[in-house]
Amino acid sequence: MEANLKAETLKILGDQTRLRVAYLLAASKRSLCVCEIVDSLKLPQYQISKSLVILRRAGLVGVDRNGTWGYYYPKTDQKTNTILFDFVKEYCIGEPFDGDLTELSKRLALRDGGRCVVGFVPEKELQKLIRKKTAAV
Amino acid sequence: MEANLKAETLKILGDQTRLRVAYLLAASKRSLCVCEIVDSLKLPQYQISKSLVILRRAGLVGVDRNGTWGYYYPKTDQKTNTILFDFVKEYCIGEPFDGDLTELSKRLALRDGGRCVVGFVPEKELQKLIRKKTAAV
DNA sequence: ATGTTATATGCAAATATGAGCATATAGACA
DNA sequence: TGTCTATATGCTCATATTTGCATATAACAT
């Protein structure tokens, strides 16, 4: 299969929010729950949701639904996507990408059995929850 | 110096015309005259001109002026640019990119001493001019 | 000077896009 | 049933972008 870069695709990634989401998915090699993305980027839920719809319509990401929860992942069925995600992962440097990734890793610490088990977590409560969880283990 | 990919930059390339121009500049490893780009892409002159302004404002291309003639080239003073142009060059495949490049190579055949010496050339006259030139040599 | 040519740009209309907010949907669970 | 909660979506407004056309600029030729 041959990669084929199109202007349309670049346009999709040519938006700060969508690029941040794409970076998060590219950099963390796993599916992410919508609420984890929202908490990592600290943007309104509807913005993330809309960004994901657009990324999905462009064939860049896919979703596994688990009840009300949605797990998004970078689609790698087309070589172009793989190349693009690698590119994004490698060259999106500094803020806000670094910070987003840091927030994500904190959020991922709350997972249980590899699954997201909490919804939106306000920043203030995140530390508390993490401490509780580490204590429990 | 460190590459740093920004959404803004991707947005610039997320436009068909601008991407075609960028590809042409990336693929032909030399400065191109505006009229050569216009003839290669077969788009209105003002569209090319405006695209070039935007690419230039984004720091992606530079220009050498020679009288009324303008020679544009991909800027490589930032690593991000180099990487992006390589990326575009490698992964923009098929139409319209291939056709644009073919047209360009025909147009470049009209150069004299490495310089563009004709302005806009309607498709019909291009073959005629090329034949005349080859005969002269 | 006058005309010609290469390139840039100002403007107006059409269209697209993003932000924000409210609300819908739909699954989980009491 | 009713109530949460996660996610999606419809709507409006403001703003940005694209397109097309006409024209400006500026160098060159005669």
Side-chain angles (χ1 to χ4, degrees):
Chain A
M1 199 184 335
E2 202 174 49
N4 196 339
L5 186 57
K6 285 185 282 188
E8 225 177 272
T9 313
L10 291 173
K11 188 176 192 171
I12 297 287
L13 295 176
D15 170 89
Q16 173 87 167
T17 305
R18 291 192 293 263
L19 186 60
R20 287 171 72 187
V21 171
Y23 176 78
L24 217 56
L25 290 171
S28 82
K29 281 282 179 202
R30 49 173 131 185
S31 293
L32 296 180
C33 185
V34 177
C35 61
E36 292 171 332
I37 302 177
V38 171
D39 282 346
S40 302
L41 267 55
K42 299 188 201 311
L43 288 175
Q45 174 264 326
Y46 62 80
Q47 274 191 25
I48 303 299
S49 198
K50 282 178 179 174
S51 293
L52 286 168
V53 167
I54 292 171
L55 287 166
R56 192 149 56 84
R57 269 209 302 258
L60 283 165
V61 308
V63 61
D64 288 328
R65 271 190 229 287
N66 198 322
T68 35
W69 308 61
Y71 288 85
Y72 283 84
Y73 57 88
K75 287 197 78 174
T76 52
D77 54 341
Q78 294 178 49
K79 197 177 172 212
T80 314
N81 288 359
T82 310
I83 289 164
L84 265 175
F85 279 114
D86 285 350
F87 193 67
V88 164
K89 180 184 174 183
E90 185 165 0
Y91 296 114
C92 287
I93 293 171
E95 294 310 324
F97 307 106
D98 287 356
D100 291 346
L101 212 49
T102 306
E103 290 306 312
L104 176 65
S105 75
K106 285 196 251 167
R107 255 310 305 247
L108 288 177
L110 295 184
R111 281 199 176 190
D112 206 348
R115 292 255 137 203
C116 176
V117 291
V118 292
F120 304 111
V121 180
E123 178 135 40
K124 283 237 169 176
E125 296 191 26
L126 184 56
Q127 291 302 334
K128 212 184 302 176
L129 281 176
I130 290 178
R131 252 177 282 126
K132 191 184 295 180
K133 186 160 191 348
T134 350
V137 175
Chain B
M1 199 183 337
E2 203 174 49
N4 195 338
L5 187 57
K6 285 185 284 190
E8 224 176 272
T9 313
L10 291 173
K11 188 177 192 169
I12 297 286
L13 295 176
D15 170 89
Q16 174 88 170
T17 306
R18 291 192 292 264
L19 186 59
R20 288 172 72 188
V21 171
Y23 175 78
L24 217 56
L25 291 171
S28 82
K29 281 282 180 202
R30 50 172 130 185
S31 294
L32 296 179
C33 185
V34 177
C35 61
E36 291 171 333
I37 301 177
V38 171
D39 282 346
S40 302
L41 268 56
K42 300 186 202 311
L43 288 175
Q45 174 265 325
Y46 64 80
Q47 273 193 27
I48 303 299
S49 198
K50 282 179 179 175
S51 293
L52 286 168
V53 167
I54 293 171
L55 287 166
R56 192 149 55 85
R57 269 210 303 258
L60 283 165
V61 309
V63 61
D64 288 328
R65 270 192 230 287
N66 197 322
T68 35
W69 309 61
Y71 289 84
Y72 283 83
Y73 56 89
K75 287 196 79 174
T76 52
D77 54 341
Q78 293 178 49
K79 199 178 170 211
T80 314
N81 289 359
T82 311
I83 290 164
L84 264 175
F85 279 114
D86 285 349
F87 192 69
V88 164
K89 181 183 174 182
E90 184 165 0
Y91 296 113
C92 287
I93 292 172
E95 293 312 322
F97 306 106
D98 286 356
D100 291 346
L101 212 49
T102 305
E103 289 306 312
L104 177 65
S105 75
K106 286 196 252 170
R107 254 309 304 248
L108 288 178
L110 295 184
R111 281 200 177 189
D112 206 347
R115 293 254 137 205
C116 176
V117 291
V118 292
F120 304 111
V121 181
E123 178 135 41
K124 283 236 169 176
E125 295 191 27
L126 184 56
Q127 291 302 335
K128 212 184 301 176
L129 282 177
I130 291 177
R131 253 177 281 126
K132 191 184 298 181
K133 186 158 190 351
T134 351
V137 174

